[in-house]
Amino acid sequence: MNDTFYELLVKKNKPDTSALILSAINIIAIVCMLILTIYTQFAMILVIVLCFVFYYFVYPKISVEYEYSLLNSDMTVDTIYNKTKRKNVLTIDIKTLETAFPTSSPKMNGQRDGRRIDCSTGDMNSSYCLIFPNSGEKTLLFITPDEHMLDMLKRISPRAFIDRKSGS
């Protein structure tokens, strides 16, 4: 069998302030816990519960990576939180792509409607927008492929990557 398989892992760019905010939240939590333990035991229990909730729900979402898996014409996009928890975002057949173009392209200005799924690094200069039908509605998927994955996508669905204005 002649299957083509390619996997790409990209890390979502965090704002520079996220580490500073996380450190500030940790310091505030420690100071609050120390102050509240002086006054009441119930408040200490409440602070400990809130800390566990923060570390269970918020902290894992700070480090986000996306994995693009391409097997023949099926592309699977997964989100990986804090390098431990994986969630499947969607699986699409690349042959159903209507169009694909860089997000820095002027074509992006005309794309207002449809469901948007951002699985890119956040860098608009290196990201692509893939437009395809999904469950009866137009879906815009933003990804950041490398050159090899881009070549594979173009081989699977060449008509989606044709620049309709210049005809090439």
Side-chain angles (χ1 to χ4, degrees):
M1 207 171 229
N2 193 8
D3 290 338
T4 56
F5 179 74
Y6 187 67
E7 214 171 42
L8 179 65
L9 188 69
V10 297
K11 187 171 182 138
K12 185 160 185 89
N13 294 336
K14 294 187 289 188
D16 294 334
T17 58
S18 66
L20 185 64
I21 291 171
L22 184 61
S23 298
I25 289 173
N26 286 332
I27 291 170
I28 290 170
I30 290 170
V31 169
C32 286
M33 191 166 82
L34 291 174
I35 291 172
L36 291 176
T37 55
I38 295 171
Y39 293 111
T40 175
Q41 296 296 328
F42 176 74
M44 185 178 91
I45 294 171
L46 183 65
V47 168
I48 290 172
V49 169
L50 289 175
C51 286
F52 278 119
V53 168
F54 171 75
Y55 281 111
Y56 184 75
F57 290 109
V58 177
Y59 189 70
K61 306 261 187 210
I62 292 174
S63 174
V64 179
E65 297 176 330
Y66 297 107
E67 181 184 68
Y68 315 132
S69 301
L70 192 60
L71 176 62
N72 295 328
S73 67
D74 294 324
M75 182 176 184
T76 304
V77 180
D78 293 333
T79 304
I80 302 169
Y81 297 107
N82 211 23
K83 297 185 181 183
T84 56
K85 188 176 178 183
R86 174 183 295 266
K87 181 181 174 190
N88 182 273
V89 177
L90 68 108
T91 302
I92 62 167
D93 184 6
I94 297 299
K95 291 179 182 175
T96 64
L97 274 181
E98 291 177 1
T99 187
F101 49 85
T103 53
S104 59
S105 168
K107 290 182 184 180
M108 208 45 226
N109 297 335
Q111 304 301 325
R112 301 266 185 246
D113 56 338
R115 182 175 160 222
R116 292 173 171 251
I117 303 172
D118 188 1
C119 297
S120 68
T121 60
D123 180 18
M124 297 303 279
N125 294 325
S126 61
S127 298
Y128 271 77
C129 177
L130 308 178
I131 300 175
F132 59 94
N134 187 17
S135 303
E137 68 175 327
K138 183 166 85 169
T139 303
L140 287 77
L141 174 65
F142 298 95
I143 63 171
T144 307
D146 62 356
E147 289 300 318
H148 184 71
M149 178 166 273
L150 200 56
D151 290 341
M152 291 179 76
L153 291 172
K154 287 178 181 179
R155 260 189 273 130
I156 295 168
S157 183
R159 68 172 181 79
F161 288 89
I162 293 175
D163 185 9
R164 287 169 176 73
K165 285 187 178 179
S166 65
S168 60

